[in-house]
Structure formats: C-alpha cells, structure tokens
Amino acid sequence: MSKGSNVPVPTTALRVELSWRSGPGVPHADASALLLVGGKVRSDADFVFYNQPEHVSGAVRHEGKRTDGAQVTDTLLVDLARVEPSVETVVLAASADGGTFARVPDLCIEVRDAAQGTVAARFDSMDATVETAFVLGEFYRRQGAWKFRAVGQGYDSGLEGLATDFGITVDEPQQAAPVTAPPVSAPAPPPPPTAQPVRLTKVTLTKSAPSVSLTKQGGTSGAMRVNLNWQVHKQFSGWGSKRGRATAMHADLDLDLCALYELTDGRKGVVQALGNAYGALHQPPYIQLDGDDRTGSNAGGENLTVNLDHTRDFRRILVFVTIYEGARSFADLHATVTLQTQDGGPIEFSLDECTVPSTVCALALITNTGDDLVVQREARYLVPDRGVSPQRTVDHVYNWGMNWTPGRK
C-alpha cells in the first residue's frame, strides 16, 4: 500500500504485525494502539501498549515480540467486533527506544486475518528520518464497515509525544517541593481519588546491554512478577530422530517456568510445578509459582512472583524454563520474558533462536550485590546429557550444588 491509501478489511478478527530487521545499532521498537472518539482517547485506558497490554473491552491486546533470525515482530490482536460503538478509529503506532526510525530497516506493518493468517494489507515505511514514534496505520469506520488506512505520520518526541497528542496523561518525574510546617488547623478532608497517569518507562535487555539494577528501575519493594509467554512459529519442531528430522509439536505443549534459589542463610532449593514445589511468598523462599499454564498467552503464560520486601534474604535466583512435554526442543518457539515490579517499569527481553536440541533454557540470573538486586539476561539454551534431567543440567552449569531425585506433577 502507498501512504494515504485504504482497503476494506476482510474480517473483524485481525492480527496486526509490526516488523523490522534487527542488527547492530538498530533501536528497539514497540507496537501500540489507541482507541479514539473524535480524534482523542476517552481516558488513559484507551491506550494499549507494553505497560497496559489489553483494552478493557477485549477489542485490542498487545501480544508481544518474537524473533525469527534477524526479523523482529511485535504483535497486536484486534477484534473489531468488540470495539465499542462510540469508538471511530483504532490507531496503530510504533515507538523507537534508543534511536530514530531512520535506523530501523525494513519497518512495515501487516494486517492479517487472525484465523487464516492471510495478509489483508501491508504498508512499508521507507521515508523515516528523525522520528522516534510513528502512526503506521489505522482502522476506521465508514458507512458501518471497517477499513484500514496506511498513514505513515511521524513524531520526533517519542512515545510520550504520540500519547499526549491523542490525549493521554503521561507520568512524569516530579521534583520534591520544599517542606514547610503547615499551620495549625482542623484536618482537611481527603482529596477525591484520581486516575493514575500512564507510565511509559521500561528496560529491554540485550546481548550488548544484558543487566539492570532493580533499584535504578524503581523496584525496591513489593511483588515482582516474572512472566514467560510464547508462540509456536511453525507447525513442526524438535529433533525427532538421530538424523535430525523434525517431528510435530503437540497441541498440549507444556513449558514449566522454574527458579533455583540460594538464600543468604545458605538454604538452597527449587520452585517448580514438578513435585508441587510451588514455593511461598511470605515465608522462605519468598518466591511463588502462580500455577501451571499451557497456553503461553500474554494474558496468562507462566508466572513467578518474587517478594522484594525480602531482598536481603536472597543471595541469587536463577529463573529457567523446561519443556515438560509436547516438544523435544525450543526450536521454532519464540518466547518473551517480562519482569514487572510493583513501582517500576517492566524489564523485558526475547529469547534468541534455538539452534540446538535443548529442553532447558536459563532465562535470567538475579544476584544480590549488597543493597541491590541486579537482573542479568541469560537466554542460554542448554542440552542435557543422556539420562540427565533438565534441572540437574542447569544446576551443574550454574554450580548450585543440589541433590536431585525424580519427580512428577
């Protein structure tokens, strides 16, 4: 499609894919959507992005990123049948983190039939210069039907500029006001509750920038949720024979998010679904597995919660994932890890493409440096020796020194 052109959409259930080619010096990009009435959002809830991944109506959901070689794809699911009647436009946007879109090669947006996977529309952005945010396209109503328009309008003020232009209230750091003694008087009534502004901050861990301090990220207390969500990119995966022939990945693919922990008092252990070792949040190990999910969806996935009120009790935590059943390797399985603290922005990273017959992947190492916890991106695929469990394999590589016995769910 050319800029400004439009096409009718073939169905209401759509998959919007923002993609680009990664490489040295290429900024990270993020997809977002805004639901507009009269050209503005009705409230901050009409902004769907990495920190607010689903609209309250269920009409738009941010699924997250996947990587296939050098190509990176960030996905939004849009169900136009669930868009409220007052909403006239669904804007599809992108923002760049760490540079301008002039440095993002092969940037394009594709609209696909969510059920069939066929491409209904594609727009390639080829004239970016200083922009750090882009409106690439939009769905709009015309005579009771939905159409898609290629827009290609850029901003040099990033996601914040794009958001505020459409009426979003953005959370900005405030300097503390001078403290003065209040006059003696009757206590004032409490102010009415106000909506919290949208927080845009986040950190993306990469090979060149693999670690971040939780203190610097604002995560010093409360709960930190570690989420793993995934997508099966192809219908076949794994090494099904000694010759490497791929075998079908089962529909009931079961990945297990796990954590090895070592506390400052010397205690060590594992939190995992296997053996029902779900942990505990308010007593040692202060880590809890929420449940055992098989969908990999962003709304659920596998989740661990870490109690940051007990930072001083942790020496190190290794978060890893194993394949319990449904596949023989992580090949063609594209996963994203997100660590969300109570008061800070999210920390996220994607797993690299798996090129070995791995059934266990070390995701992140969280280390106590004294007064702080540092998150280190690992994204390391491991291949167990014959007869050796994935848990024992990751224990050996990271020198945890535990004794292992067979377990089951």
Side-chain angles (χ1 to χ4, degrees):
M1 297 179 63
S2 58
K3 185 183 296 188
S5 62
N6 62 80
V7 294
V9 293
T11 182
T12 57
L14 300 164
R15 187 179 188 87
V16 179
E17 296 186 343
L18 170 74
S19 65
W20 66 95
R21 180 163 46 88
S22 64
V26 176
H28 295 278
D30 295 288
S32 58
L34 301 104
L35 288 75
L36 308 183
V37 177
K40 298 287 185 179
V41 297
R42 295 163 298 179
S43 72
D44 294 347
D46 284 339
F47 186 27
V48 177
F49 70 122
Y50 49 77
N51 265 0
Q52 193 165 267
E54 187 164 9
H55 192 258
V56 291
S57 67
V60 183
R61 187 173 81 233
H62 179 241
E63 274 210 329
K65 294 186 179 72
R66 69 177 189 271
T67 303
D68 188 2
Q71 180 170 304
V72 183
T73 303
D74 201 5
T75 302
L76 296 163
L77 287 183
V78 180
D79 187 351
L80 296 174
R82 301 180 70 174
V83 175
E84 296 136 306
S86 60
V87 174
E88 304 154 350
T89 309
V90 179
V91 167
L92 306 168
S95 57
D97 184 11
T100 68
F101 275 108
R103 295 165 54 192
V104 180
D106 301 340
L107 178 68
C108 78
I109 186 171
E110 285 187 343
V111 177
R112 294 177 175 268
D113 183 318
Q116 303 297 325
T118 53
V119 178
R122 177 187 172 106
F123 172 57
D124 292 88
S125 177
M126 304 173 63
D127 56 356
T129 54
V130 299
E131 296 87 355
T132 49
F134 252 111
V135 174
L136 291 168
E138 64 182 15
F139 296 115
Y140 66 99
R141 296 184 195 261
R142 180 60 55 87
Q143 297 178 346
W146 286 96
K147 289 188 173 183
F148 171 78
R149 178 187 289 122
V151 178
Q153 175 186 344
Y155 296 74
D156 61 5
S157 49
L159 185 60
E160 180 176 349
L162 181 147
T164 54
D165 193 45
F166 287 105
I168 299 293
T169 304
V170 176
D171 185 15
E172 296 181 358
Q174 300 291 326
Q175 291 188 349
V179 178
T180 58
V184 178
S185 61
T194 58
Q196 293 297 314
V198 172
R199 181 185 290 270
L200 300 181
T201 57
K202 75 162 188 170
V203 170
T204 300
L205 301 182
T206 64
K207 288 182 179 179
S208 58
S211 62
V212 65
S213 157
L214 285 182
T215 297
K216 292 180 180 179
Q217 187 61 9
T220 57
S221 62
M224 177 176 71
R225 172 156 292 194
V226 184
N227 172 266
L228 174 74
N229 68 79
W230 62 89
Q231 294 176 340
V232 179
H233 185 57
K234 299 177 182 178
Q235 292 184 348
F236 295 92
S237 180
W239 280 260
S241 71
K242 294 181 180 179
R243 293 177 294 176
R245 179 173 54 84
T247 60
M249 181 176 286
H250 297 176
D252 60 347
L253 173 67
D254 187 6
L255 302 186
D256 284 343
L257 188 64
C258 314
L260 285 172
Y261 63 84
E262 182 179 2
L263 303 182
T264 52
D265 63 6
R267 282 182 286 181
K268 300 177 182 179
V270 63
V271 175
Q272 60 179 3
L274 198 66
N276 296 318
Y278 286 93
L281 200 57
H282 300 292
Q283 62 187 40
Y286 310 111
I287 306 168
Q288 189 168 36
L289 180 66
D290 291 8
D292 186 19
D293 182 80
R294 297 190 178 195
T295 66
S297 65
N298 205 33
E302 291 273 327
N303 293 280
L304 278 165
T305 304
V306 180
N307 189 343
L308 296 181
D309 292 336
H310 290 272
T311 292
R312 294 184 179 180
D313 292 299
F314 298 123
R315 181 169 292 163
R316 56 176 179 159
I317 304 168
L318 180 69
V319 182
F320 65 100
V321 59
T322 67
I323 298 175
Y324 183 72
E325 63 181 14
R328 297 190 180 183
S329 82
F330 287 105
D332 300 327
L333 195 68
H334 301 288
T336 301
V337 180
T338 304
L339 295 85
Q340 178 67 66
T341 60
Q342 179 173 294
D343 299 316
I347 302 165
E348 69 171 24
F349 61 89
S350 297
L351 298 187
D352 298 323
E353 183 178 3
C354 180
T355 58
V356 294
S358 169
T359 56
V360 57
C361 180
L363 300 177
L365 182 62
I366 305 171
T367 306
N368 191 333
T369 61
D371 297 322
D372 189 13
L373 292 179
V374 173
V375 179
Q376 171 85 21
R377 174 188 186 269
E378 295 293 305
R380 185 177 179 184
Y381 293 107
L382 305 175
V383 181
D385 293 332
R386 183 182 295 274
V388 178
S389 70
Q391 290 83 353
R392 188 186 296 271
T393 298
V394 75
D395 177 309
H396 174 74
V397 171
Y398 285 87
N399 298 311
W400 228 265
M402 292 173 54
N403 294 318
W404 295 92
T405 58
R408 65 178 60 186
K409 295 185 183 181

